[in-house]
Amino acid sequence: MALTGIEIFKLLAKTNCKECDFPTCLAFAMALASGKTELDKCPYVSDEVREKLAEASAPPIRPVKIAMKEAVKTVGGETVMFRHEKTFFNPTLIAGLLTTAMSDAEVDGKIATFNKLQFERVGLNLRPEMLVVKEVNGDAGRFAALAKKVADQSDAAILLCSEKPEAVKGAAEAVKDRKPVLGVATAANADAMGALAKEMGLPLVTKAEGYDALADLTTKLTGMGLKDLIIDSGSRTLKQAFQDQVVLRRAALVPKFRPFGFPTIACPCEMTDDPLKEALYAAVFIAKYGGIVVLSDLQPHTVFPLLLERLNIYTDPQRPMIITPGIYEINNPGPDSIVAVTTNFALTYFIVSGEFEGSKVPTWLLIQDTEGLSVMTSWAAGKFSGETVAMHVKKCGIMDKAKTRTIIIPGYAAGISGDLEEELPGWKVVIGPREASHIPVFLKKL
Ligand code: SF4
């Protein structure tokens, strides 16, 4: 049972030393009770008290580590229903499905496609992370061989999927170095699957239909000493599966119902035969609240928009994506190259710099600190004005690098040109295009 803030407060040192970044022990206790901070932030908690507070300080949804070949991802660990309340922390893993009924050629093709699905966006590498290996025809040998092939030919996180504990054991042994996720534990096989997951120290997918059955199953498995569970509610219609995701998240967060305090898996791959509908269903579960979303086929035209959706959902709404202000060299500029300026909103930078790069024109691109605001917003907020741009030009060191005394400003900030010319005597201000996509043509005419 979770403790209240006052109950936690009684166990703290009560020195109000502020080392936890809270003004008082009471404030820290209240934040801890609502899952907004971690017990480790207070260095004065004894082991005895730590044990007592373990329950209260545990995140309402357990973060579960999932191993890729050379990286570790986390699912779960969320603390809010809506991202604007705080943020969502651990992005949904996007998974593709391989089954033992597929031919070798089909499997090879899907693994090759998985390996190619990598996209650069705002300086990040966006990609699916997981392959689900599913046993569908009782062939345990092929199941293990398929898992091994995935481990050998990709860096994917691996989820082994069968309700036969012996088959799962064989496949898990074959890829044990890759620390696969095991599945699927049901009421019928919970003892054997639980024992296997515990023995191998691996996360376990648990599946039961109906909230009571699900709570019974996770309670049984945690009673066996398992901690890293992933919940499959078993529903395979959009409406019911969506409802399950919301119910599980709310029950885990609000009354802190521990049996549902685990990340979830959603399976659009088993909800429809229509690939586009499946992608739309996946989009629903990325928004609410799938820890893992499994697609029957990973294709660029469906995966890319899902990756972008995920990027947006899991970007902290309180912290704009920014890049470091400074001088960025594009296409090897020299002293006579042109100078342009824009804001440090990451999306603006990557789009604008991409257009300059594509134009092949050597450019000094000045990035001004606007606290991550875009051109129009920062201009409206007074953070991208004649005065601030001039100050940046004077301080950033461009005058030592470039002999040019012409600066291109974004078309949306045309209103600052007069002020900027006043603030930068000897400089000519040229108003660039409003849309980044018009930059190459603009540069040609220039
Ligand atoms: Fe209290 Fe510990 Fe925070 Fe100090 S660090 S104020 S003792 S909770």
Side-chain angles (χ1 to χ4, degrees):
M1 193 68 186
L3 298 180
T4 65
I6 296 294
E7 287 167 327
I8 295 171
F9 172 67
K10 286 178 186 165
L11 299 169
L12 296 176
K14 301 189 203 69
T15 59
N16 297 335
C17 70
K18 301 186 180 59
E19 286 184 41
C20 55
D21 292 335
F22 284 86
T24 61
C25 293
L26 182 60
F28 177 77
M30 291 301 182
L32 189 60
S34 58
K36 289 180 180 150
T37 189
E38 291 162 13
L39 186 56
D40 288 344
K41 295 264 167 74
C42 172
Y44 303 108
V45 178
S46 68
D47 287 349
E48 192 188 336
V49 170
R50 187 175 298 280
E51 209 169 294
K52 271 193 198 162
L53 289 179
E55 169 86 353
S57 62
I61 298 173
R62 182 174 173 80
V64 174
K65 303 260 184 242
I66 309 259
M68 295 180 70
K69 187 176 184 182
E70 282 159 8
V72 177
K73 300 291 174 184
T74 302
V75 290
E78 305 300 341
T79 57
V80 290
M81 289 294 292
F82 307 105
R83 67 189 280 277
H84 61 262
E85 291 177 70
K86 190 173 183 187
T87 182
F88 290 170
F89 293 102
N90 295 308
T92 310
L93 299 190
I94 295 178
L97 180 68
L98 302 171
T99 77
T100 52
M102 290 175 181
S103 68
D104 287 344
E106 194 177 356
V107 167
D108 290 343
K110 283 179 183 282
I111 294 177
T113 304
F114 174 88
N115 290 335
K116 277 193 219 146
L117 282 172
Q118 313 239 358
F119 305 91
E120 289 297 324
R121 183 88 176 178
V122 290
L124 301 170
N125 177 246
L126 308 184
R127 55 165 300 178
E129 295 83 7
M130 177 177 263
L131 286 170
V132 176
V133 179
K134 185 171 184 181
E135 177 273 310
V136 293
N137 51 11
D139 187 342
R142 180 157 178 74
F143 185 39
L146 184 53
K148 183 85 171 60
K149 181 178 251 193
V150 170
D152 289 345
Q153 295 183 7
S154 81
D155 67 348
I158 300 170
L159 193 163
L160 301 172
C161 184
S162 167
E163 292 185 15
K164 303 183 186 83
E166 277 309 310
V168 176
K169 186 174 185 181
E173 291 287 354
V175 294
K176 66 173 184 247
D177 292 347
R178 293 288 291 273
K179 298 189 171 58
V181 179
L182 306 185
V184 179
T186 63
N189 69 14
D191 289 326
M193 289 294 286
L196 177 62
K198 191 171 178 196
E199 180 193 323
M200 299 190 78
L202 297 173
L204 180 63
V205 175
T206 62
K207 178 175 158 188
E209 278 189 65
Y211 302 131
D212 289 343
L214 205 44
D216 288 346
L217 183 56
T218 58
T219 303
K220 176 176 177 133
L221 291 164
T222 49
M224 292 169 68
L226 292 165
K227 290 183 176 160
D228 291 333
L229 302 180
I230 296 164
I231 293 179
D232 177 353
S233 72
S235 302
R236 294 296 184 262
T237 64
L238 177 64
K239 185 181 174 195
Q240 188 58 50
F242 175 72
Q243 178 183 306
D244 293 348
Q245 293 290 337
V246 176
V247 167
L248 293 172
R249 169 69 65 97
R250 191 173 289 282
L253 294 187
V254 183
K256 286 200 172 182
F257 184 58
R258 290 293 182 203
F260 291 168
F262 300 97
T264 60
I265 183 169
C267 301
C269 58
E270 294 180 1
M271 295 180 190
T272 174
D273 293 329
D274 178 339
L276 286 183
K277 256 192 194 171
E278 191 185 315
L280 286 172
Y281 290 3
V284 169
F285 295 117
I286 286 171
K288 289 185 182 292
Y289 293 107
I292 300 170
V293 169
V294 188
L295 291 156
S296 59
D297 197 18
L298 297 175
Q299 289 298 325
H301 63 280
T302 49
V303 170
F304 183 59
L306 292 174
L307 292 169
L308 287 191
E309 181 206 3
R310 181 177 73 175
L311 177 66
N312 286 328
I313 296 281
Y314 283 87
T315 298
D316 187 343
Q318 295 165 77
R319 275 199 288 168
M321 297 174 76
I322 61 172
I323 58 156
T324 311
I327 305 171
Y328 287 74
E329 299 180 12
I330 298 177
N331 301 327
N332 297 318
D336 296 319
S337 300
I338 59 168
V339 177
V341 64
T342 190
T343 75
N344 76 329
F345 176 42
L347 199 56
T348 299
Y349 167 76
F350 283 105
I351 291 173
V352 168
S353 63
E355 295 296 342
F356 274 106
E357 250 171 64
S359 74
K360 307 270 188 271
V361 176
T363 306
W364 301 102
L365 182 59
L366 309 187
I367 297 299
Q368 189 197 315
D369 184 4
T370 56
E371 297 171 16
L373 298 179
S374 64
V375 171
M376 279 193 79
T377 316
S378 58
W379 169 73
K383 295 179 192 298
F384 195 79
S385 62
E387 194 182 340
T388 62
V389 172
M391 198 185 303
H392 182 60
V393 170
K394 288 172 189 167
K395 283 189 174 170
C396 70
I398 188 63
M399 293 196 195
D400 300 331
K401 292 175 182 272
K403 286 193 282 178
T404 326
R405 291 297 179 259
T406 298
I407 185 167
I408 302 166
I409 62 170
Y412 279 114
I416 72 169
S417 62
D419 283 351
L420 187 54
E421 278 189 340
E422 265 181 37
E423 297 281 342
L424 283 179
W427 282 75
K428 182 180 170 200
V429 177
V430 174
I431 299 168
R434 290 185 159 206
E435 302 302 327
S437 58
H438 298 164
I439 286 174
V441 173
F442 167 82
L443 291 176
K444 253 187 205 163
K445 285 183 184 163
L446 196 70

